[in-house]
Amino acid sequence: MTRLSFGARELRDLLVAWLALGVAFAFFYERITITTLGPVLTSGAFLVALAVSLLTAGIGFLLHELAHKVVAVRYGQVAAFRADYGLLALAVLGGLAGFLFAAPGAVVHRGRLTDRQSGLIALAGPVTNLALAALFAPFAAVGSALAWRGVTINLLLAGFNMLPVGPLDGNTVRSWSTAVYVAVAVPSIALAAYALYV
């Protein structure tokens, strides 16, 4: 069985993606624009917003990608996260422009896989986000703003990734098993839509 390990490039890519997504989500949630950027960056309020984003969106992203890697390695794959620096820049600019586009990169792997194994590797990320949302939920229920942000962001990450399009996880899961796809995607997308509008 392949051993779980991390190279220098992968660790750098994970760190850069975590920081970039933290900044993007902080810009978005604090409604920071290009015109207000200068004075805001040095303010205590922005540092708090950045810390919240790193602990919610950032952790959600990191554990999502690590879940893909762990399952891929379990199936004998050589797997590593690779950041997409162009999409990370777009995420930060999107946060400034008032919209979120979080596609920081992906876990790439090589080796022979069955459709089931590919589906389970894809499923691992969104299921991890649903689990994180469930962990945050009791604290959100008693009024923690940080926890509510954790619930919201993880539901959005799960729902978005379960869309059955392009390279998203949902498309891989659907190609393997329509029943599993429906069982996970329907509640994920419904909860993500709910999180957007509450």
Side-chain angles (χ1 to χ4, degrees):
M1 187 168 115
T2 307
R3 187 172 63 87
L4 187 66
S5 61
F6 297 87
R9 177 184 172 187
E10 182 177 21
L11 291 173
R12 181 198 67 206
D13 279 5
L14 284 166
L15 177 62
V16 171
W18 178 56
L19 292 172
L21 287 182
V23 169
F25 275 82
F27 285 167
F28 176 78
Y29 276 107
E30 297 304 308
R31 302 292 189 256
I32 296 166
T33 65
I34 195 71
T35 57
T36 62
L37 185 59
V40 166
L41 286 181
T42 57
S43 70
F46 176 73
L47 294 178
V48 170
L50 177 59
V52 168
S53 292
L54 290 171
L55 290 171
T56 53
I59 295 297
F61 146 73
L62 282 175
L63 293 182
H64 176 108
E65 296 301 338
L66 289 176
H68 287 315
K69 177 169 176 148
V70 166
V71 178
V73 169
R74 169 68 181 81
Y75 290 129
Q77 301 288 289
V78 176
F81 175 77
R82 293 293 179 251
D84 185 318
Y85 286 85
L87 291 178
L88 286 172
L90 182 61
V92 173
L93 292 173
L96 279 174
F99 70 91
L100 281 176
F101 179 79
V107 170
V108 295
H109 49 85
R110 66 179 187 272
R112 296 177 65 85
L113 287 170
T114 65
D115 287 345
R116 178 179 179 275
Q117 289 169 337
S118 292
L120 290 172
I121 291 168
L123 196 61
V127 167
T128 296
N129 291 125
L130 291 174
L132 286 169
L135 286 174
F136 277 116
F139 303 100
V142 296
S144 167
L146 172 66
W148 179 245
R149 180 79 59 86
V151 170
T152 302
I153 286 174
N154 279 286
L155 289 178
L156 292 173
L157 287 171
F160 174 75
N161 278 284
M162 284 306 294
L163 293 173
V165 295
L168 294 179
D169 298 327
N171 209 21
T172 304
V173 175
R174 185 188 55 77
S175 295
W176 158 52
S177 169
T178 301
V180 173
Y181 173 77
V182 169
V184 178
V186 169
S188 296
I189 294 168
L191 287 168
Y194 171 77
L196 274 177
Y197 295 106
V198 293

Short mmCIF file of all heavy atoms in Angstrom, two decimals, residues 85-154:
data_model
loop_
_atom_site.label_atom_id
_atom_site.label_comp_id
_atom_site.label_asym_id
_atom_site.label_seq_id
_atom_site.Cartn_x
_atom_site.Cartn_y
_atom_site.Cartn_z
N TYR A 85 -2.67 28.45 -9.39
CA TYR A 85 -2.40 29.82 -8.94
C TYR A 85 -3.25 30.85 -9.68
O TYR A 85 -3.60 31.89 -9.12
CB TYR A 85 -0.90 30.12 -9.04
CG TYR A 85 -0.12 29.41 -7.96
CD1 TYR A 85 0.29 28.09 -8.12
CD2 TYR A 85 0.16 30.03 -6.76
CE1 TYR A 85 0.97 27.42 -7.11
CE2 TYR A 85 0.84 29.37 -5.74
CZ TYR A 85 1.24 28.07 -5.93
OH TYR A 85 1.91 27.41 -4.93
N GLY A 86 -3.60 30.57 -10.92
CA GLY A 86 -4.50 31.47 -11.65
C GLY A 86 -5.87 31.51 -11.02
O GLY A 86 -6.46 32.59 -10.83
N LEU A 87 -6.40 30.34 -10.66
CA LEU A 87 -7.73 30.30 -10.03
C LEU A 87 -7.69 30.86 -8.61
O LEU A 87 -8.68 31.44 -8.14
CB LEU A 87 -8.27 28.87 -10.03
CG LEU A 87 -8.64 28.32 -11.42
CD1 LEU A 87 -9.13 26.87 -11.31
CD2 LEU A 87 -9.69 29.19 -12.09
N LEU A 88 -6.56 30.71 -7.93
CA LEU A 88 -6.44 31.33 -6.60
C LEU A 88 -6.47 32.85 -6.71
O LEU A 88 -7.11 33.54 -5.91
CB LEU A 88 -5.15 30.87 -5.92
CG LEU A 88 -5.16 29.44 -5.39
CD1 LEU A 88 -3.78 29.04 -4.91
CD2 LEU A 88 -6.18 29.28 -4.27
N ALA A 89 -5.78 33.40 -7.72
CA ALA A 89 -5.82 34.85 -7.95
C ALA A 89 -7.24 35.29 -8.27
O ALA A 89 -7.72 36.33 -7.77
CB ALA A 89 -4.87 35.24 -9.07
N LEU A 90 -7.95 34.49 -9.07
CA LEU A 90 -9.35 34.80 -9.40
C LEU A 90 -10.22 34.78 -8.15
O LEU A 90 -11.12 35.61 -8.00
CB LEU A 90 -9.87 33.81 -10.43
CG LEU A 90 -11.31 34.02 -10.91
CD1 LEU A 90 -11.46 35.38 -11.58
CD2 LEU A 90 -11.71 32.92 -11.88
N ALA A 91 -9.95 33.85 -7.24
CA ALA A 91 -10.72 33.78 -6.00
C ALA A 91 -10.54 35.06 -5.18
O ALA A 91 -11.51 35.62 -4.66
CB ALA A 91 -10.30 32.56 -5.19
N VAL A 92 -9.30 35.52 -5.06
CA VAL A 92 -9.04 36.75 -4.30
C VAL A 92 -9.68 37.95 -4.97
O VAL A 92 -10.35 38.77 -4.32
CB VAL A 92 -7.51 36.96 -4.12
CG1 VAL A 92 -7.23 38.32 -3.48
CG2 VAL A 92 -6.91 35.84 -3.27
N LEU A 93 -9.54 38.07 -6.28
CA LEU A 93 -10.16 39.18 -7.02
C LEU A 93 -11.68 39.09 -6.95
O LEU A 93 -12.36 40.12 -6.85
CB LEU A 93 -9.68 39.18 -8.47
CG LEU A 93 -8.20 39.52 -8.68
CD1 LEU A 93 -7.82 39.32 -10.14
CD2 LEU A 93 -7.90 40.94 -8.21
N GLY A 94 -12.20 37.86 -7.00
CA GLY A 94 -13.64 37.68 -6.87
C GLY A 94 -14.16 38.13 -5.52
O GLY A 94 -15.21 38.77 -5.42
N GLY A 95 -13.41 37.81 -4.47
CA GLY A 95 -13.79 38.28 -3.14
C GLY A 95 -13.87 39.80 -3.08
O GLY A 95 -14.78 40.37 -2.48
N LEU A 96 -12.92 40.47 -3.73
CA LEU A 96 -12.94 41.94 -3.80
C LEU A 96 -14.11 42.46 -4.62
O LEU A 96 -14.65 43.53 -4.33
CB LEU A 96 -11.64 42.46 -4.42
CG LEU A 96 -10.42 42.57 -3.51
CD1 LEU A 96 -9.19 42.96 -4.32
CD2 LEU A 96 -10.66 43.56 -2.38
N ALA A 97 -14.51 41.70 -5.64
CA ALA A 97 -15.59 42.13 -6.52
C ALA A 97 -16.97 41.75 -5.98
O ALA A 97 -17.99 42.10 -6.56
CB ALA A 97 -15.40 41.53 -7.90
N GLY A 98 -17.00 41.00 -4.87
CA GLY A 98 -18.27 40.66 -4.25
C GLY A 98 -18.86 39.33 -4.67
O GLY A 98 -20.05 39.09 -4.47
N PHE A 99 -18.05 38.45 -5.25
CA PHE A 99 -18.54 37.10 -5.53
C PHE A 99 -17.45 36.10 -5.17
O PHE A 99 -16.27 36.44 -5.11
CB PHE A 99 -18.95 36.94 -7.01
CG PHE A 99 -17.80 36.94 -7.98
CD1 PHE A 99 -17.18 35.76 -8.35
CD2 PHE A 99 -17.35 38.13 -8.54
CE1 PHE A 99 -16.12 35.75 -9.25
CE2 PHE A 99 -16.28 38.13 -9.44
CZ PHE A 99 -15.67 36.95 -9.80
N LEU A 100 -17.88 34.87 -4.92
CA LEU A 100 -16.93 33.83 -4.53
C LEU A 100 -16.77 32.81 -5.63
O LEU A 100 -17.75 32.33 -6.20
CB LEU A 100 -17.40 33.13 -3.25
CG LEU A 100 -17.16 33.88 -1.95
CD1 LEU A 100 -17.76 33.12 -0.79
CD2 LEU A 100 -15.68 34.11 -1.72
N PHE A 101 -15.54 32.50 -5.94
CA PHE A 101 -15.22 31.42 -6.86
C PHE A 101 -14.03 30.70 -6.25
O PHE A 101 -12.91 31.18 -6.33
CB PHE A 101 -14.88 31.96 -8.25
CG PHE A 101 -14.51 30.88 -9.22
CD1 PHE A 101 -15.49 30.12 -9.83
CD2 PHE A 101 -13.18 30.60 -9.50
CE1 PHE A 101 -15.17 29.09 -10.71
CE2 PHE A 101 -12.84 29.58 -10.38
CZ PHE A 101 -13.84 28.84 -10.99
N ALA A 102 -14.29 29.58 -5.61
CA ALA A 102 -13.23 28.89 -4.87
C ALA A 102 -12.91 27.55 -5.53
O ALA A 102 -13.53 26.54 -5.26
CB ALA A 102 -13.66 28.67 -3.42
N ALA A 103 -11.96 27.58 -6.46
CA ALA A 103 -11.46 26.36 -7.08
C ALA A 103 -9.94 26.41 -7.00
O ALA A 103 -9.27 26.75 -7.97
CB ALA A 103 -11.94 26.26 -8.52
N PRO A 104 -9.40 26.12 -5.82
CA PRO A 104 -7.98 26.38 -5.58
C PRO A 104 -7.00 25.42 -6.22
O PRO A 104 -5.81 25.67 -6.27
CB PRO A 104 -7.87 26.28 -4.06
CG PRO A 104 -8.95 25.31 -3.69
CD PRO A 104 -10.08 25.58 -4.65
N GLY A 105 -7.50 24.31 -6.72
CA GLY A 105 -6.64 23.28 -7.27
C GLY A 105 -7.28 21.93 -7.04
O GLY A 105 -8.49 21.86 -6.82
N ALA A 106 -6.50 20.90 -7.08
CA ALA A 106 -7.06 19.55 -6.93
C ALA A 106 -5.98 18.57 -6.50
O ALA A 106 -4.79 18.82 -6.69
CB ALA A 106 -7.68 19.10 -8.25
N VAL A 107 -6.44 17.46 -5.95
CA VAL A 107 -5.55 16.34 -5.69
C VAL A 107 -5.42 15.55 -6.99
O VAL A 107 -6.42 15.07 -7.54
CB VAL A 107 -6.08 15.44 -4.55
CG1 VAL A 107 -5.27 14.15 -4.46
CG2 VAL A 107 -6.01 16.18 -3.22
N VAL A 108 -4.22 15.47 -7.48
CA VAL A 108 -3.97 14.68 -8.69
C VAL A 108 -3.38 13.34 -8.26
O VAL A 108 -2.62 13.27 -7.29
CB VAL A 108 -3.02 15.41 -9.66
CG1 VAL A 108 -3.67 16.67 -10.20
CG2 VAL A 108 -1.70 15.76 -9.00
N HIS A 109 -3.76 12.29 -8.95
CA HIS A 109 -3.25 10.97 -8.58
C HIS A 109 -3.07 10.12 -9.82
O HIS A 109 -3.67 10.37 -10.87
CB HIS A 109 -4.17 10.29 -7.56
CG HIS A 109 -5.62 10.32 -7.92
ND1 HIS A 109 -6.20 9.37 -8.75
CD2 HIS A 109 -6.61 11.18 -7.59
CE1 HIS A 109 -7.49 9.64 -8.87
NE2 HIS A 109 -7.76 10.73 -8.19
N ARG A 110 -2.23 9.11 -9.68
CA ARG A 110 -2.01 8.21 -10.80
C ARG A 110 -2.00 6.77 -10.29
O ARG A 110 -1.58 6.49 -9.17
CB ARG A 110 -0.72 8.54 -11.54
CG ARG A 110 0.55 8.34 -10.77
CD ARG A 110 1.77 8.69 -11.63
NE ARG A 110 3.01 8.35 -10.96
CZ ARG A 110 3.66 9.17 -10.13
NH1 ARG A 110 3.17 10.38 -9.89
NH2 ARG A 110 4.77 8.79 -9.56
N GLY A 111 -2.45 5.91 -11.16
CA GLY A 111 -2.57 4.50 -10.82
C GLY A 111 -3.89 3.98 -11.37
O GLY A 111 -4.75 4.75 -11.77
N ARG A 112 -4.06 2.69 -11.37
CA ARG A 112 -5.28 2.08 -11.91
C ARG A 112 -6.38 2.10 -10.85
O ARG A 112 -6.15 1.78 -9.69
CB ARG A 112 -5.01 0.65 -12.35
CG ARG A 112 -4.02 0.56 -13.52
CD ARG A 112 -3.73 -0.88 -13.86
NE ARG A 112 -4.91 -1.57 -14.36
CZ ARG A 112 -5.32 -1.55 -15.63
NH1 ARG A 112 -4.64 -0.86 -16.53
NH2 ARG A 112 -6.38 -2.22 -16.00
N LEU A 113 -7.59 2.50 -11.28
CA LEU A 113 -8.72 2.58 -10.38
C LEU A 113 -9.96 2.01 -11.03
O LEU A 113 -10.15 2.14 -12.25
CB LEU A 113 -9.03 4.04 -10.02
CG LEU A 113 -8.08 4.78 -9.08
CD1 LEU A 113 -8.42 6.26 -9.05
CD2 LEU A 113 -8.14 4.19 -7.68
N THR A 114 -10.83 1.41 -10.24
CA THR A 114 -12.16 1.04 -10.72
C THR A 114 -13.04 2.29 -10.65
O THR A 114 -12.70 3.29 -10.00
CB THR A 114 -12.76 -0.06 -9.85
OG1 THR A 114 -12.97 0.46 -8.52
CG2 THR A 114 -11.85 -1.28 -9.77
N ASP A 115 -14.22 2.21 -11.28
CA ASP A 115 -15.17 3.32 -11.20
C ASP A 115 -15.59 3.57 -9.75
O ASP A 115 -15.75 4.71 -9.32
CB ASP A 115 -16.41 3.03 -12.05
CG ASP A 115 -16.13 3.13 -13.54
OD1 ASP A 115 -15.08 3.70 -13.92
OD2 ASP A 115 -16.96 2.65 -14.33
N ARG A 116 -15.75 2.48 -9.01
CA ARG A 116 -16.15 2.61 -7.60
C ARG A 116 -15.08 3.35 -6.81
O ARG A 116 -15.38 4.24 -6.00
CB ARG A 116 -16.40 1.24 -7.00
CG ARG A 116 -16.78 1.27 -5.52
CD ARG A 116 -17.05 -0.14 -4.98
NE ARG A 116 -17.37 -0.10 -3.57
CZ ARG A 116 -16.46 -0.10 -2.60
NH1 ARG A 116 -15.15 -0.14 -2.89
NH2 ARG A 116 -16.83 -0.06 -1.33
N GLN A 117 -13.82 2.97 -6.99
CA GLN A 117 -12.74 3.64 -6.27
C GLN A 117 -12.66 5.12 -6.64
O GLN A 117 -12.50 5.97 -5.76
CB GLN A 117 -11.41 2.93 -6.57
CG GLN A 117 -11.32 1.55 -5.93
CD GLN A 117 -10.13 0.75 -6.43
OE1 GLN A 117 -9.61 0.99 -7.53
NE2 GLN A 117 -9.68 -0.21 -5.63
N SER A 118 -12.79 5.44 -7.93
CA SER A 118 -12.79 6.84 -8.35
C SER A 118 -13.94 7.60 -7.70
O SER A 118 -13.78 8.73 -7.24
CB SER A 118 -12.91 6.95 -9.88
OG SER A 118 -11.75 6.46 -10.50
N GLY A 119 -15.10 6.96 -7.66
CA GLY A 119 -16.27 7.59 -7.05
C GLY A 119 -16.08 7.84 -5.56
O GLY A 119 -16.44 8.91 -5.05
N LEU A 120 -15.49 6.89 -4.87
CA LEU A 120 -15.27 7.05 -3.43
C LEU A 120 -14.20 8.10 -3.14
O LEU A 120 -14.33 8.85 -2.15
CB LEU A 120 -14.89 5.71 -2.80
CG LEU A 120 -16.03 4.69 -2.75
CD1 LEU A 120 -15.53 3.33 -2.30
CD2 LEU A 120 -17.16 5.18 -1.84
N ILE A 121 -13.18 8.19 -3.98
CA ILE A 121 -12.19 9.25 -3.81
C ILE A 121 -12.86 10.61 -3.97
O ILE A 121 -12.65 11.53 -3.17
CB ILE A 121 -11.04 9.09 -4.83
CG1 ILE A 121 -10.20 7.86 -4.50
CG2 ILE A 121 -10.16 10.34 -4.86
CD1 ILE A 121 -9.23 7.46 -5.60
N ALA A 122 -13.70 10.75 -4.99
CA ALA A 122 -14.41 12.02 -5.22
C ALA A 122 -15.37 12.34 -4.08
O ALA A 122 -15.49 13.48 -3.65
CB ALA A 122 -15.17 11.95 -6.55
N LEU A 123 -16.06 11.31 -3.59
CA LEU A 123 -17.05 11.50 -2.54
C LEU A 123 -16.44 11.94 -1.21
O LEU A 123 -17.07 12.64 -0.41
CB LEU A 123 -17.81 10.18 -2.35
CG LEU A 123 -19.13 10.21 -1.59
CD1 LEU A 123 -20.14 11.10 -2.29
CD2 LEU A 123 -19.67 8.78 -1.47
N ALA A 124 -15.20 11.57 -0.98
CA ALA A 124 -14.55 11.83 0.31
C ALA A 124 -14.52 13.32 0.66
O ALA A 124 -14.71 13.69 1.82
CB ALA A 124 -13.13 11.26 0.31
N GLY A 125 -14.28 14.19 -0.33
CA GLY A 125 -14.18 15.62 -0.05
C GLY A 125 -15.50 16.22 0.43
O GLY A 125 -15.57 16.80 1.52
N PRO A 126 -16.58 16.11 -0.38
CA PRO A 126 -17.86 16.67 0.06
C PRO A 126 -18.39 16.06 1.36
O PRO A 126 -18.96 16.78 2.20
CB PRO A 126 -18.80 16.36 -1.11
CG PRO A 126 -17.90 16.26 -2.30
CD PRO A 126 -16.63 15.65 -1.78
N VAL A 127 -18.19 14.75 1.55
CA VAL A 127 -18.66 14.12 2.79
C VAL A 127 -17.89 14.70 3.99
O VAL A 127 -18.47 14.91 5.07
CB VAL A 127 -18.53 12.58 2.71
CG1 VAL A 127 -18.70 11.93 4.07
CG2 VAL A 127 -19.56 12.04 1.72
N THR A 128 -16.62 14.99 3.80
CA THR A 128 -15.84 15.63 4.87
C THR A 128 -16.41 17.00 5.21
O THR A 128 -16.53 17.37 6.39
CB THR A 128 -14.36 15.75 4.45
OG1 THR A 128 -13.83 14.44 4.29
CG2 THR A 128 -13.54 16.51 5.48
N ASN A 129 -16.81 17.77 4.19
CA ASN A 129 -17.41 19.09 4.45
C ASN A 129 -18.74 18.96 5.19
O ASN A 129 -19.05 19.77 6.07
CB ASN A 129 -17.60 19.86 3.15
CG ASN A 129 -16.28 20.29 2.54
OD1 ASN A 129 -16.00 19.98 1.39
ND2 ASN A 129 -15.44 20.98 3.31
N LEU A 130 -19.54 17.95 4.83
CA LEU A 130 -20.80 17.74 5.55
C LEU A 130 -20.53 17.38 7.01
O LEU A 130 -21.23 17.86 7.92
CB LEU A 130 -21.61 16.62 4.88
CG LEU A 130 -22.18 16.95 3.49
CD1 LEU A 130 -22.82 15.70 2.88
CD2 LEU A 130 -23.18 18.09 3.57
N ALA A 131 -19.50 16.57 7.24
CA ALA A 131 -19.14 16.21 8.62
C ALA A 131 -18.67 17.44 9.40
O ALA A 131 -19.03 17.61 10.57
CB ALA A 131 -18.06 15.13 8.62
N LEU A 132 -17.90 18.30 8.75
CA LEU A 132 -17.45 19.52 9.43
C LEU A 132 -18.63 20.43 9.75
O LEU A 132 -18.68 21.03 10.83
CB LEU A 132 -16.44 20.27 8.55
CG LEU A 132 -15.04 19.64 8.47
CD1 LEU A 132 -14.23 20.31 7.37
CD2 LEU A 132 -14.32 19.76 9.81
N ALA A 133 -19.57 20.55 8.82
CA ALA A 133 -20.76 21.36 9.08
C ALA A 133 -21.52 20.82 10.29
O ALA A 133 -21.99 21.58 11.15
CB ALA A 133 -21.67 21.38 7.85
N ALA A 134 -21.61 19.49 10.38
CA ALA A 134 -22.29 18.87 11.53
C ALA A 134 -21.53 19.14 12.83
O ALA A 134 -22.15 19.35 13.89
CB ALA A 134 -22.43 17.37 11.30
N LEU A 135 -20.20 19.16 12.78
CA LEU A 135 -19.41 19.46 13.98
C LEU A 135 -19.59 20.91 14.43
O LEU A 135 -19.64 21.20 15.62
CB LEU A 135 -17.92 19.19 13.70
CG LEU A 135 -17.49 17.73 13.64
CD1 LEU A 135 -16.04 17.61 13.22
CD2 LEU A 135 -17.70 17.04 14.99
N PHE A 136 -19.68 21.82 13.47
CA PHE A 136 -19.88 23.23 13.80
C PHE A 136 -21.30 23.52 14.29
O PHE A 136 -21.54 24.46 15.05
CB PHE A 136 -19.61 24.11 12.57
CG PHE A 136 -18.17 24.45 12.33
CD1 PHE A 136 -17.51 24.00 11.19
CD2 PHE A 136 -17.46 25.26 13.22
CE1 PHE A 136 -16.18 24.31 10.94
CE2 PHE A 136 -16.13 25.58 12.98
CZ PHE A 136 -15.49 25.11 11.84
N ALA A 137 -22.28 22.72 13.83
CA ALA A 137 -23.70 23.03 14.04
C ALA A 137 -24.11 23.22 15.51
O ALA A 137 -24.83 24.19 15.82
CB ALA A 137 -24.57 21.97 13.38
N PRO A 138 -23.70 22.37 16.46
CA PRO A 138 -24.14 22.58 17.85
C PRO A 138 -23.68 23.92 18.41
O PRO A 138 -24.40 24.57 19.19
CB PRO A 138 -23.51 21.41 18.61
CG PRO A 138 -23.21 20.38 17.59
CD PRO A 138 -22.92 21.12 16.33
N PHE A 139 -22.49 24.36 18.02
CA PHE A 139 -21.97 25.64 18.50
C PHE A 139 -22.69 26.80 17.82
O PHE A 139 -22.93 27.84 18.43
CB PHE A 139 -20.46 25.71 18.27
CG PHE A 139 -19.71 24.60 18.93
CD1 PHE A 139 -19.30 23.49 18.20
CD2 PHE A 139 -19.46 24.62 20.30
CE1 PHE A 139 -18.64 22.44 18.81
CE2 PHE A 139 -18.79 23.57 20.92
CZ PHE A 139 -18.38 22.48 20.17
N ALA A 140 -23.05 26.61 16.55
CA ALA A 140 -23.82 27.63 15.84
C ALA A 140 -25.20 27.78 16.48
O ALA A 140 -25.74 28.89 16.58
CB ALA A 140 -23.96 27.26 14.37
N ALA A 141 -25.77 26.66 16.95
CA ALA A 141 -27.10 26.67 17.54
C ALA A 141 -27.16 27.49 18.83
O ALA A 141 -28.21 28.01 19.20
CB ALA A 141 -27.58 25.25 17.81
N VAL A 142 -26.01 27.62 19.50
CA VAL A 142 -26.00 28.42 20.74
C VAL A 142 -25.46 29.82 20.50
O VAL A 142 -25.12 30.54 21.43
CB VAL A 142 -25.19 27.72 21.86
CG1 VAL A 142 -25.86 26.41 22.25
CG2 VAL A 142 -23.74 27.48 21.46
N GLY A 143 -25.38 30.21 19.22
CA GLY A 143 -25.09 31.61 18.91
C GLY A 143 -23.68 31.96 18.52
O GLY A 143 -23.34 33.14 18.42
N SER A 144 -22.81 30.97 18.28
CA SER A 144 -21.44 31.28 17.89
C SER A 144 -21.40 31.71 16.42
O SER A 144 -21.72 30.93 15.53
CB SER A 144 -20.55 30.05 18.09
OG SER A 144 -19.30 30.25 17.43
N ALA A 145 -20.96 32.95 16.18
CA ALA A 145 -20.86 33.45 14.81
C ALA A 145 -19.79 32.69 14.03
O ALA A 145 -19.96 32.41 12.83
CB ALA A 145 -20.55 34.95 14.82
N LEU A 146 -18.69 32.37 14.69
CA LEU A 146 -17.63 31.60 14.04
C LEU A 146 -18.16 30.24 13.59
O LEU A 146 -17.93 29.80 12.46
CB LEU A 146 -16.45 31.41 15.00
CG LEU A 146 -15.34 30.46 14.53
CD1 LEU A 146 -14.63 31.04 13.32
CD2 LEU A 146 -14.35 30.20 15.65
N ALA A 147 -18.89 29.57 14.47
CA ALA A 147 -19.43 28.26 14.14
C ALA A 147 -20.46 28.35 13.02
O ALA A 147 -20.50 27.49 12.13
CB ALA A 147 -20.06 27.61 15.38
N TRP A 148 -21.29 29.41 13.04
CA TRP A 148 -22.28 29.56 11.96
C TRP A 148 -21.57 29.74 10.62
O TRP A 148 -21.98 29.17 9.62
CB TRP A 148 -23.22 30.72 12.24
CG TRP A 148 -24.21 30.90 11.12
CD1 TRP A 148 -24.33 31.96 10.29
CD2 TRP A 148 -25.20 29.95 10.69
NE1 TRP A 148 -25.32 31.73 9.36
CE2 TRP A 148 -25.88 30.51 9.59
CE3 TRP A 148 -25.57 28.68 11.14
CZ2 TRP A 148 -26.91 29.86 8.92
CZ3 TRP A 148 -26.61 28.02 10.46
CH2 TRP A 148 -27.26 28.61 9.38
N ARG A 149 -20.47 30.50 10.61
CA ARG A 149 -19.70 30.64 9.39
C ARG A 149 -19.14 29.28 8.96
O ARG A 149 -19.12 28.96 7.77
CB ARG A 149 -18.56 31.64 9.62
CG ARG A 149 -17.65 31.90 8.43
CD ARG A 149 -18.25 32.84 7.42
NE ARG A 149 -18.59 34.13 7.94
CZ ARG A 149 -17.77 35.18 8.06
NH1 ARG A 149 -16.50 35.06 7.69
NH2 ARG A 149 -18.19 36.33 8.52
N GLY A 150 -18.69 28.48 9.93
CA GLY A 150 -18.19 27.15 9.61
C GLY A 150 -19.26 26.26 9.00
O GLY A 150 -19.00 25.53 8.04
N VAL A 151 -20.47 26.32 9.55
CA VAL A 151 -21.58 25.54 8.98
C VAL A 151 -21.86 25.99 7.55
O VAL A 151 -21.92 25.18 6.62
CB VAL A 151 -22.86 25.71 9.84
CG1 VAL A 151 -24.07 25.12 9.12
CG2 VAL A 151 -22.69 25.05 11.20
N THR A 152 -22.01 27.30 7.37
CA THR A 152 -22.37 27.84 6.06
C THR A 152 -21.34 27.49 5.00
O THR A 152 -21.68 26.99 3.92
CB THR A 152 -22.51 29.38 6.16
OG1 THR A 152 -23.51 29.68 7.14
CG2 THR A 152 -22.91 29.98 4.83
N ILE A 153 -20.09 27.76 5.29
CA ILE A 153 -19.04 27.54 4.29
C ILE A 153 -18.90 26.07 3.94
O ILE A 153 -18.76 25.70 2.76
CB ILE A 153 -17.71 28.14 4.76
CG1 ILE A 153 -17.78 29.67 4.66
CG2 ILE A 153 -16.54 27.60 3.97
CD1 ILE A 153 -16.60 30.40 5.24
N ASN A 154 -18.96 25.20 4.92
CA ASN A 154 -18.82 23.77 4.63
C ASN A 154 -20.02 23.23 3.86
O ASN A 154 -19.86 22.36 2.99
CB ASN A 154 -18.55 22.99 5.91
CG ASN A 154 -17.09 23.06 6.29
OD1 ASN A 154 -16.24 22.44 5.67
ND2 ASN A 154 -16.79 23.86 7.30
#
